[in-house]
Amino acid sequence: MTLDSSVRIGLLLPDVLGTYADGGNATVLAQRLRWRGVPAEVLSCPASEEPPTGCEIYLLGGGEDAAQLFAADWLRERPALCRALAGPAVTLAVCAGLQILGHTLTDAAGQPRPGAGLLDLATRPRAGRATGEITTECLLPGVGRLSGFENHRGVTTLGPDARPLGRVLRGVGNGDRGRWGRGGEGARAGRIFGTYLHGPVLARNPALADHLLTLATGSELAELEVADQAALRRQYLG
Ligand code: GLN
């Protein structure tokens, strides 16, 4: 795309997966584009409306167990949207959003439920909730350390077609001991990225926001230093 046309950011199901304020990721992406003179629009796509399939970026957030089962079915009923999420768009899915993009999520009663199958992973419940601050070393080149908070009951096991987004330095993350070893956090495959980090993750980690924007626009973006964000990173990462 050219940087003259507006970058469309589709915020999927903010009314269903809005518990952890991950909708702030849309604001961060749009603002980082506008600060660079690139027009951007956030398209909010609640459950009652048919979502657009032509966005450059899609976002899914975290939510409660019942809400995420609804969201998984909503996605599976929209194959055109699922095709768009897998590319050409860039997709960022957080926590419940990450879990529902996998093959299955097993509910608290031990019942496996189908996900959208866009990421090669499966999630089952852990004994207790993983809550608190989390720090990872992001495995994407140049992104560095990521900080966020986690609040989930999922253990996520990646298959061969997904790689972790980061390696856990503090906190729990995926909580599995799968083929990628212990300490994996999140998942990535092609242009889909998933993470357990709330914050919102892109507010705390502008380098990850810019990685997604560079991919979505196909353009090198100008450096951007935001004093408040630098202070926030020092606060969480030292
Ligand atoms: N309900 C899911 C879990 O507890 C996801 C939670 C979340 O999105 N923070 O694992």
Side-chain angles (χ1 to χ4, degrees):
M1 70 176 296
T2 71
L3 291 181
D4 301 332
S5 53
S6 197
V7 176
R8 288 156 300 174
I9 300 163
L11 178 59
L12 297 175
L13 299 177
D15 48 343
V16 178
L17 299 177
T19 315
Y20 298 88
D22 301 308
N25 289 324
T27 310
V28 172
L29 290 171
Q31 191 57 37
R32 291 187 76 78
L33 287 167
R34 290 179 192 135
W35 273 328
R36 290 159 162 134
V38 180
E41 58 183 314
V42 175
L43 305 175
S44 193
C45 317
S48 58
E49 288 173 24
E50 273 318 299
T53 55
C55 292
E56 281 73 35
I57 304 177
Y58 285 98
L59 300 171
L60 283 160
E64 287 138 15
D65 293 358
Q68 78 184 64
L69 293 177
F70 171 89
D73 290 344
W74 186 89
L75 272 183
R76 286 189 307 106
E77 286 158 12
R78 288 168 177 77
L81 176 64
C82 288
R83 281 195 295 278
L85 294 184
V90 170
T91 297
L92 174 69
V94 178
C95 202
L98 158 73
Q99 296 177 2
I100 66 174
L101 291 190
H103 300 300
T104 55
L105 35 150
T106 301
D107 67 19
Q111 187 74 23
R113 307 294 196 104
L118 300 179
L119 283 172
D120 186 15
L121 59 86
T123 300
R124 63 186 191 282
R126 35 183 282 127
R129 287 192 83 74
T131 55
E133 283 294 312
I134 174 166
T135 307
T136 70
E137 187 66 46
C138 186
L139 299 172
L140 299 169
V143 172
R145 287 193 176 183
L146 301 178
S147 96
F149 71 89
E150 59 186 332
N151 185 348
H152 61 95
R153 229 193 122 180
V155 173
T156 295
T157 303
L158 306 191
D161 293 334
R163 287 172 177 260
L165 180 66
R167 181 120 352 258
V168 176
L169 302 174
R170 167 193 181 194
V172 176
N174 295 347
D176 70 321
R177 297 165 192 241
R179 80 177 47 234
W180 303 109
R182 297 179 69 166
E185 194 294 308
R188 66 202 152 106
R191 292 163 78 85
I192 306 184
F193 300 84
T195 181
Y196 273 108
L197 273 60
H198 300 290
V201 63
L202 300 184
R204 287 213 200 176
N205 304 286
L208 181 60
D210 284 354
H211 183 90
L212 302 181
L213 290 174
T214 301
L215 259 184
T217 60
S219 311
E220 277 305 315
L221 297 167
E223 285 289 313
L224 193 61
E225 267 309 314
V226 182
D228 289 355
Q229 272 184 333
L232 196 64
R233 284 185 72 70
R234 278 196 301 278
Q235 179 186 332
Y236 286 111
L237 293 171

